[in-house]
Amino acid sequence: MSHDSFAAAMSDTATMIDRSVRLTRRNVDTLFVSILLPLLMMTLFVFVFGGAIETGTRYINYVVPGILLLTTGYGAANTAMAVADDMTKGMIDRLRSLPVRSFAVLTGHVTASVVRNAVSTAIVLLASLAMGFRPNASVSEWFGAIGLLALYVIALSWLAAGLGVIAKTVESASTLSFFMLFLPYLSSAFVQPETMPRWLRPISEHQPITPVIETVRSFLTGTPLGNSGWIALAWCGGLLIFSVTFASLLYRRRNSS
């Protein structure tokens, strides 16, 4: 790629990022819901169910890492709907007549997703501190937790972008991304897998959400890490590679049809 082509590609990407972030600022209700639902879930589990759930530690310290992952799922689901909205309302058709690189559109949506998730995660974390969450992480452990969450958010957002490309309507995009919201409930987010029925325990222990939660939990509260860190990185890295390839190929195919 020549210097001029690279500069043009970066300019296209910056323009699409600016557009997606501006759309996010205008769509305040979506951002509000993506923050409100995790807050309600955390309040429900901490103050209603927490007293009846035994985890070997204060329940709020156990549940907050799972709530943070749940928050990112809501944010990524919004990405699928935003991409589907572009695909179905003529935005992509207008871009075909312009010299805009195909990856710039999806990159804009993914970047906006990361920004949304950063804001919502920070708000949820501050709320958890007000509710009594007391992490004992060092500076390096905080960076480790934030870095892993960021990698997970980027991978999940690219997957959501791919689902938005194949969705025929915004409503179907919401349906396709439902598993992003449901999968944390089958993980170690809210209860220990050992307390689940025998047939459900392997699903909880060997899915991608659980090692990410266990790693974040270890960084923030000092629980044993074991092999969770490497497994979480493998899951997130593999998901990122798959999702970028999946979304890019589907976008080019649909954009050329």
Side-chain angles (χ1 to χ4, degrees):
M1 179 182 293
S2 67
H3 176 74
D4 291 341
S5 297
F6 179 77
M10 292 300 100
S11 177
D12 291 344
T13 302
T15 300
M16 291 297 103
I17 290 173
D18 179 67
R19 170 183 175 269
S20 296
V21 171
R22 282 189 286 108
L23 288 175
T24 295
R25 291 204 304 266
R26 294 172 185 171
N27 196 6
V28 178
D29 54 338
T30 300
L31 182 61
F32 178 73
V33 170
S34 67
I35 297 171
L36 179 62
L37 287 179
L39 286 176
L40 291 176
M41 290 297 300
M42 182 165 60
T43 303
L44 178 67
F45 274 89
V46 170
F47 296 117
V48 178
F49 300 140
I53 300 175
E54 179 58 46
T55 61
T57 184
R58 294 180 65 232
Y59 186 67
I60 190 168
N61 288 342
Y62 181 88
V63 80
V64 165
I67 294 293
L68 296 180
L69 268 289
L70 191 67
T71 304
T72 62
Y74 283 114
N78 292 333
T79 303
M81 291 185 285
V83 172
D85 190 65
D86 274 356
M87 300 299 296
T88 58
K89 292 188 176 179
M91 176 64 185
I92 303 303
D93 293 331
R94 291 194 292 271
L95 289 177
R96 287 177 180 174
S97 62
L98 301 173
V100 177
R101 274 68 179 176
S102 60
F103 66 83
V105 178
L106 295 184
T107 301
H109 282 294
V110 169
T111 303
S113 174
V114 174
V115 172
R116 283 195 306 268
N117 274 290
V119 173
S120 58
T121 301
I123 292 174
V124 170
L125 183 58
L126 289 174
S128 71
L129 293 172
M131 292 180 185
F133 177 52
R134 294 296 179 264
N136 55 14
S138 65
V139 173
S140 61
E141 288 170 332
W142 272 107
F143 275 112
I146 293 171
L148 181 59
L149 284 173
L151 180 61
Y152 176 77
V153 167
I154 294 170
L156 203 63
S157 297
W158 272 106
L159 179 59
L163 295 176
V165 170
I166 64 175
K168 300 300 182 183
T169 64
V170 175
E171 290 75 16
S172 64
S174 177
T175 302
L176 288 172
S177 59
F178 173 75
F179 75 92
M180 296 182 183
L181 310 180
F182 183 71
L183 199 57
Y185 295 99
L186 300 179
S187 70
S188 63
F190 301 105
V191 298
Q192 294 174 324
E194 293 80 6
T195 65
M196 298 180 181
R198 293 183 61 182
W199 61 269
L200 184 58
R201 195 179 308 165
I203 299 175
S204 176
E205 293 174 341
H206 302 294
Q207 58 140 306
I209 306 294
T210 292
V212 177
I213 290 174
E214 291 302 320
T215 302
V216 173
R217 185 175 286 138
S218 176
F219 282 144
L220 296 184
T221 64
T223 57
L225 180 60
N227 295 324
S228 295
W230 296 111
I231 297 173
L233 285 175
W235 269 114
C236 290
L239 180 62
L240 178 60
I241 294 171
F242 168 80
S243 299
V244 171
T245 304
F246 168 73
S248 300
L249 289 177
L250 288 175
Y251 180 85
R252 292 193 188 105
R253 180 178 298 177
R254 186 166 176 182
N255 198 32
S256 62
S257 61

